[in-house]
Amino acid sequence: MSTPSSPSSSRVPQSDDRRVVAVTGKGGAGKTLLAALIVGLLARRGDRRILAIDADSAVSLPLALGVPVGRTVGDIREELISDPSAKRRVEDIPMSRVIADALGGGRGIDLLVMGRPEGPGCFCMLNDLLRYGIESLSRDYDVTVIDCEAGPEQVNRRVVRSVDTLIVVSDTSARGLNTARVIKRVAESSGGIKPVNVGLVVNRVRPGSEGAVAVMSRETDLRVLGYIPEDDNVTRYDLTGRPLADLPDDSPAMVAVHGILRELGL
């Protein structure tokens, strides 16, 4: 099990101080970008314990954060299925310790990665392990940020039922904003998910289109948390494989996320 990497690791946050933020939306809308910038900005401050969770089987968040991937929740799942001796070893161990064995991290961030099963089949067990990991590990952190898989499925399956803040990310397309509406409805109809804050962030807003995007955003009936403009730095960092969390403070995307964090009280 890894040692928590943030400077305040000796302090266990009080329950009313903890924040659990889930970032979801249409595929390709920019949810990993937003999750990485939120985590990166909070880690730069150095005054809180930060847990980042990559709940997307595409495993994009570690690269965006510049944090290596070690053992994943998917690895644990495969081991428990394929190795009877491994299953016997963990029978008397609290599942929180089993999940914590997959914790990695660096740069002031602890990281839990879902990964994916090695073969075809249902993700139910993996989602169950992930849900337990979120609920058990987040108690030891000031802020937990979850990069969800695209679409409403993890919300529908209550994988993120312990969140207090649900951010839906959309691009400026009608399809993206419609997905945001669908996720909002799913969250409202899922009895186990009652986040305090549900909001919309619109990504890749082009100069001069702000007014039209604002009108379209209001039609989703979601509280608008902020707009992230098109940012050439994001494109350059993606092309070269540099961590998005390392964007300079004056980069347009980073400035926008500063504002979103203020809107969320973070």
Side-chain angles (χ1 to χ4, degrees), residues 4-5 111 115 131 136 199-200 256:
S5 55
L111 176 66
R131 181 191 304 114
S136 62
L200 174 71

Side-chain angles (χ1 to χ4, degrees), residues 38 41 206:
I38 289 174
L41 281 171
R206 295 181 179 178

Side-chain angles (χ1 to χ4, degrees), residues 55-117:
D56 191 337
S57 58
V59 191
S60 299
L61 186 61
L63 182 61
L65 293 174
V67 176
V69 180
R71 188 167 163 81
T72 71
V73 178
D75 293 334
I76 294 174
R77 180 251 195 198
E78 293 302 315
E79 188 175 276
L80 293 176
I81 289 175
S82 62
D83 186 351
S85 63
K87 189 172 183 179
R88 287 193 297 271
R89 282 197 304 272
V90 303
E91 283 178 348
D92 298 322
I93 300 174
M95 187 54 68
S96 58
R97 282 179 53 192
V98 176
I99 296 296
D101 188 49
L103 272 179
R107 308 179 63 168
I109 302 161
D110 283 352
L111 176 66
L112 182 71
V113 177
M114 180 174 83
R116 60 177 296 114

Side-chain angles (χ1 to χ4, degrees), residues 5 10 16 22 25 52-53 69-70 85 88 135 139-140 192 199 201-202 206 225 231 240:
S5 55
S10 61
D16 55 352
I53 298 179
V69 180
S85 63
R88 287 193 297 271
E135 293 176 359
R139 298 169 190 160
D140 295 328
V201 170
V202 183
R206 295 181 179 178
L225 299 173
D231 188 338
T240 58

Side-chain angles (χ1 to χ4, degrees), residues 23-197:
V23 183
T24 185
K26 182 179 75 68
K31 59 185 184 58
T32 298
L33 167 69
L34 179 57
L37 296 191
I38 289 174
V39 171
L41 281 171
L42 293 175
R44 286 182 194 182
R45 287 168 45 174
D47 61 349
R48 304 192 214 181
R49 297 188 63 195
I50 309 299
L51 174 63
I53 298 179
D54 189 342
D56 191 337
S57 58
V59 191
S60 299
L61 186 61
L63 182 61
L65 293 174
V67 176
V69 180
R71 188 167 163 81
T72 71
V73 178
D75 293 334
I76 294 174
R77 180 251 195 198
E78 293 302 315
E79 188 175 276
L80 293 176
I81 289 175
S82 62
D83 186 351
S85 63
K87 189 172 183 179
R88 287 193 297 271
R89 282 197 304 272
V90 303
E91 283 178 348
D92 298 322
I93 300 174
M95 187 54 68
S96 58
R97 282 179 53 192
V98 176
I99 296 296
D101 188 49
L103 272 179
R107 308 179 63 168
I109 302 161
D110 283 352
L111 176 66
L112 182 71
V113 177
M114 180 174 83
R116 60 177 296 114
E118 290 300 320
C122 181
F123 276 59
C124 297
M125 181 180 179
L126 192 57
N127 279 326
D128 286 343
L129 286 170
L130 180 62
R131 181 191 304 114
Y132 191 86
I134 293 169
E135 293 176 359
S136 62
L137 295 178
S138 63
R139 298 169 190 160
D140 295 328
Y141 292 85
D142 296 287
V143 184
T144 298
V145 179
I146 308 161
D147 181 18
C148 297
E149 65 182 15
E153 191 60 25
Q154 286 180 329
V155 176
N156 186 47
R157 291 182 178 273
R158 303 180 184 177
V159 174
V160 291
R161 65 185 178 187
S162 61
V163 306
D164 57 73
T165 302
L166 181 65
I167 304 176
V168 186
V169 183
S170 175
D171 51 25
T172 59
S173 70
R175 288 183 296 108
L177 292 166
N178 182 65
T179 300
R181 280 191 289 268
V182 170
I183 292 173
K184 176 179 182 288
R185 288 198 297 268
V186 170
E188 290 175 342
S189 63
S190 297
I193 303 174
K194 296 180 180 178
V196 174
N197 298 309

